[in-house]
Amino acid sequence: MSTFTAEVVICGAGIAGIAAAYHLAVKQGVRNVVLVDERPPMTLTSDKSTEAYRNWWPGPDEAMLRFMNRSIDLLEQLDDASGHRLRLNRRGYLYATGNPAHVPALVESAKQAARMGAGSLRVHAGNPADPAYVSGNAEHWRDQPDGADLFLDPALLRRHFPYLNSDALAALHARRCGWFSGQQLGMVMLERAKAAGVRLLAGRVEAVETPGGRVRSVRVAGAGGVEEIATTQFVNAAGPLVNKVARLLDLDLPIFSELHLKMALEDRRGVIPRDAPLVIWEDAQRLPWDEEERAALAESEATRYLLAEFPGGVHFRPEGSHDAATVLLLWAYHLEPVEPHLPVPIDPEFAETALRGMTTLAPGLAVYLEKLPKSYVDGGYYTKTRENRPLIGPLPVEGAYVIGALSGYGLMAACAGGELLAAHLVGAPLPEYASAFLLSRYADPMYQKQLAAWGATGQL
């Protein structure tokens, strides 16, 4: 067994681990950082992302919104510094509803987010005094609107988004939102981290030695044998395997995982405009089947669930350049907690189910139901806490830290998450939102009361 020394060992070379290494080495000047993973960087869950980002977090308080605003600030800085290498845009998220009962909630969430710092709210209700709606630049974020545009006039909504379901009554276009190249984000930070002395070690963390209740060493098994790294600081950034690694410290984190899949559809008929935002149908729905299909599905217990009501949230976004035809289709209807398994299991019914659900949002996509075009399905795990806030900061074992439970927002949160983790580790000043992401929040009676009041639905 060979032995060497490191100031910090980070387990996991996904976007969270890379961001932590980058902020430690590049921004905080920590020179002896080792990043450990048995897989190539960004290949477990980070490369399965939709690569979207948003500062639209209406509540119940300001912590997530401030955290994401900071992360987007850092994303924009990296995009500028790398010559727009991240391909960051600000196309926005469009939340649409056809349910009259949901419109007041959409209006209230828009007002709440504006009060909390998401930017100004512009209401378009078909009145002469309404502000003009400003379309964005589909390829860049600079000089684009922030805040949100709230459409309460269905005719105006269809004028700007003609591919939407004609039943759409209202929609909210959150503007400091969009997408970027997650792989380029990871590579930009990793390249700079390596230049600042970060070492990438291929191997699996097998043990963390903690005599006297504090980190002393980390044992890594690799192709060349076992190596022991003497260190007093260990960061668990293991993505969906974060609890497996936590158990090496005799800890069990309050997290669970959900399976989330996405489909890449080749939209050769151009149903979805190439400059469209990320579009979300807020309403629950039942899938469109004809009578013969319904009868066939009802015959089997294995398929009967396809006749039940499905949750809202079906969404899409264009992928690639204006010359491409790919559209990403996503629908999180697998909401039951699962134990992460690799490779990720793919639901054989997902492609058709997602496409059918998508036709409620964009009816023009029904043209593909007769013969499903070339498509590709992949996915990963949303590993999350019950109130859907990350875990970032120290663990009960001295010298041990976590950056995890980043749910479905790992890429967009990585910059601020890595910055926050590094600040904890080096003793730098912490932002005011830091306490909202500590594991120790669950020991705070006041926080427990807040959780009860929020309902702890996992959807803040």
Side-chain angles (χ1 to χ4, degrees), residues 85-102:
R85 185 172 160 187
L86 307 188
R87 308 304 300 172
L88 186 72
N89 69 50
R90 195 185 284 187
R91 297 198 191 189
Y93 279 36
L94 185 73
Y95 299 89
T97 179
N99 182 355
H102 185 65

Side-chain angles (χ1 to χ4, degrees), residues 36-292:
V36 181
D37 204 310
E38 60 186 305
R39 302 170 184 83
M42 300 283 293
T43 59
L44 178 57
T45 295
S46 299
D47 64 340
K48 311 301 188 296
S49 171
T50 315
E51 302 179 301
Y53 74 93
R54 61 187 166 104
N55 79 332
W56 202 254
W57 300 83
D61 63 26
E62 301 173 26
M64 286 297 291
L65 194 153
R66 291 182 177 182
F67 177 60
M68 287 301 180
N69 268 338
R70 175 58 181 164
S71 209
I72 297 168
D73 288 344
L74 296 173
L75 272 173
E76 291 173 350
Q77 291 171 20
L78 273 175
D79 191 56
D80 258 348
S82 63
H84 197 39
R85 185 172 160 187
L86 307 188
R87 308 304 300 172
L88 186 72
N89 69 50
R90 195 185 284 187
R91 297 198 191 189
Y93 279 36
L94 185 73
Y95 299 89
T97 179
N99 182 355
H102 185 65
V103 175
L106 191 69
V107 172
E108 181 52 37
S109 69
K111 292 178 178 178
Q112 185 183 41
R115 289 193 299 267
M116 289 180 175
S120 59
L121 178 63
R122 298 168 292 275
V123 179
H124 310 278
N127 300 316
D130 288 350
Y133 172 71
V134 179
S135 299
N137 179 337
E139 304 305 326
H140 214 289
W141 56 271
R142 188 169 292 287
D143 301 321
Q144 299 302 297
D146 64 3
D149 292 272
L150 179 62
F151 290 90
L152 298 176
D153 178 2
L156 186 62
L157 179 61
R158 282 190 286 277
R159 185 189 312 164
H160 289 290
F161 307 101
Y163 47 86
L164 281 182
N165 189 329
S166 61
D167 291 337
L169 296 173
L172 179 77
H173 191 187
R175 305 303 293 267
R176 200 182 187 201
C177 314
W179 55 91
F180 58 95
S181 170
Q183 284 294 309
Q184 287 302 309
L185 172 64
M187 290 305 102
V188 166
M189 290 195 291
L190 184 58
E191 288 164 8
R192 297 181 183 194
K194 285 182 174 180
V198 171
R199 174 182 174 186
L200 183 61
L201 178 63
R204 182 178 66 256
V205 172
E206 287 197 332
V208 182
E209 301 299 333
T210 58
R214 62 172 301 157
V215 173
R216 293 296 186 185
S217 67
V218 176
R219 191 164 67 246
V220 177
V226 177
E227 296 185 90
E228 184 164 359
I229 310 170
T231 186
T232 58
Q233 294 174 309
F234 174 75
V235 177
N236 181 354
L241 305 179
V242 66
N243 224 358
K244 182 177 180 180
V245 173
R247 292 182 186 118
L248 300 177
L249 297 161
D250 293 325
L251 298 174
D252 190 29
L253 301 177
I255 62 170
F256 62 96
S257 293
E258 297 168 349
L259 175 64
H260 284 242
L261 302 176
K262 76 174 186 292
M263 170 187 177
L265 175 86
E266 291 304 294
D267 178 22
R268 297 297 183 189
R269 301 193 182 212
V271 175
I272 304 302
R274 298 309 299 168
D275 59 356
L278 187 150
V279 186
I280 305 165
W281 188 250
E282 294 272 83
D283 306 338
Q285 62 167 293
R286 292 183 184 273
L287 298 179
W289 306 104
D290 62 33
E291 289 303 316
E292 185 177 341

Side-chain angles (χ1 to χ4, degrees), residues 7 23-30 70 233 392-394 401 416-435 438:
E7 190 166 345
H23 279 281
L24 283 167
V26 177
K27 298 299 185 179
Q28 297 291 351
V30 179
R70 175 58 181 164
Q233 294 174 309
I392 305 174
Y401 299 81
E419 178 185 64
L420 178 56
L421 187 282
H424 276 294
L425 205 143
V426 304
L430 299 174
E432 60 181 317
Y433 52 71
S435 61
L438 293 172

Side-chain angles (χ1 to χ4, degrees), residues 393-406:
L395 291 168
V397 177
E398 187 177 350
Y401 299 81
V402 64
I403 174 169
L406 293 170

